[in-house]
């Protein structure tokens, strides 16, 4: 890792923290809020690549685990990793690698512009909701498929995040 790598990594950890300032939007059907913070993780995965992005999310999660109030709504502490959103938080750590693997898989076969967009949808939405729902189901004792379906409420917001992330990527990809 170069100084440049470490600087970018720290910068994206900071971005994820700052996005936690936006208040959570609670929804009736799930004990999981609508947040903006996952946009920072998506952006890190797209712009930094798997190694640096995973490190930036890992540092963020360690700071949260240490008790710093960096999660949306000012939450932090080891307890959040045993709460209903624990699955989503762990999935955030996996986003960079899933996005990267999906991207490589599509690009090897089709060499197309939509590899980035599609891999963001798979890694940032499908993967996160599958793993996140597992946590909700286990902690809140709700049927897994019912929880998975309920994630549909996040879909419009998460699709907007993915598209904005893709647009930013198209603009700045030459510089990172
Ligand atoms: C937390 O703050 O404890 C984690 C919140 C996880 C929210 C998930 S991430 C995917 C989906 N999209 C949202 O806007 N909210 C959920």
């Amino acid at each position: 890792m170069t100084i440049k790598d470490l600087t970018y990594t720290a910068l994206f950890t900071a971005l994820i923290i700052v996005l936690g300032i936006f208040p959570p939007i609670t929804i009736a059907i799930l004990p999981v809020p609508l947040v903006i913070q996952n946009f920072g993780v998506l952006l890190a995965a797209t712009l930094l690549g798997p190694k640096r992005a995973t490190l930036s999310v890992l540092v963020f999660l360690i700071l949260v685990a240490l008790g710093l109030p960096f999660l949306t709504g000012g939450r932090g502490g080891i307890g959040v990793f045993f709460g209903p959103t624990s699955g989503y938080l762990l999935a955030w750590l996996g986003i960079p690698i899933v996005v990267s693997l999906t991207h490589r898989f599509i690009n090897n076969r089709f060499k197309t512009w939509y590899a980035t967009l599609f891999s963001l949808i798979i890694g940032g939405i499908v993967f996160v909701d599958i793993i996140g729902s597992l946590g909700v189901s286990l902690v809140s004792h709700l049927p897994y498929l019912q929880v998975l379906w309920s994630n549909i409420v996040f879909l419009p917001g998460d699709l907007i995040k993915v598209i904005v992330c893709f647009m930013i990527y198209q603009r700045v990809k030459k510089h990172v």
Side-chain angles (χ1 to χ4, degrees):
M1 276 238 174
T2 61
I3 295 282
K4 187 180 164 196
D5 288 332
L6 286 175
T7 309
Y8 276 133
T9 303
L11 209 64
F12 275 85
T13 302
L15 175 72
I16 298 169
I17 292 170
V18 167
L19 289 173
I21 290 171
F22 291 96
I25 299 174
T26 49
I27 51 168
I29 52 170
L30 273 182
V32 179
L34 211 148
V35 299
I36 305 289
Q37 211 158 28
N38 57 339
F39 173 68
V41 181
L42 291 177
L43 207 56
T46 322
L47 297 181
L48 296 188
K51 277 195 206 126
R52 294 179 300 177
T54 303
L55 186 60
S56 70
V57 180
L58 183 65
V59 171
F60 166 72
L61 292 177
I62 289 173
L63 294 175
V64 168
L66 289 174
L68 292 159
F70 288 161
L71 276 181
T72 303
R75 288 166 305 121
I78 199 77
V80 296
F81 293 94
F82 298 94
T85 63
S86 52
Y88 294 92
L89 295 174
L90 292 180
W92 286 2
L93 192 59
I95 289 178
I97 189 84
V98 177
V99 168
S100 161
L101 289 175
T102 313
H103 188 271
R104 204 177 303 171
F105 180 83
I106 300 170
N107 236 7
N108 283 344
R109 279 156 187 79
F110 307 109
K111 288 242 172 297
T112 164
W113 66 269
Y114 60 74
T116 304
L117 191 61
F118 192 72
S119 56
L120 275 170
I121 292 172
I122 297 294
I125 300 180
V126 178
F127 168 72
V128 170
D129 289 350
I130 287 174
I131 304 296
S133 300
L134 212 57
V136 178
S137 174
L138 289 174
V139 174
S140 304
H141 307 288
L142 293 167
Y144 178 71
L145 286 180
Q146 181 192 315
V147 175
L148 193 61
W149 262 115
S150 307
N151 276 272
I152 202 129
V153 294
F154 300 127
L155 201 56
D158 284 347
L159 273 175
I160 291 173
K161 290 171 209 163
V162 161
I163 290 166
V164 173
C165 189
F166 179 67
M167 287 161 70
I168 294 175
Y169 170 72
Q170 294 290 20
R171 291 226 151 197
V172 305
K173 63 183 170 188
K174 287 185 212 83
H175 307 290
V176 287

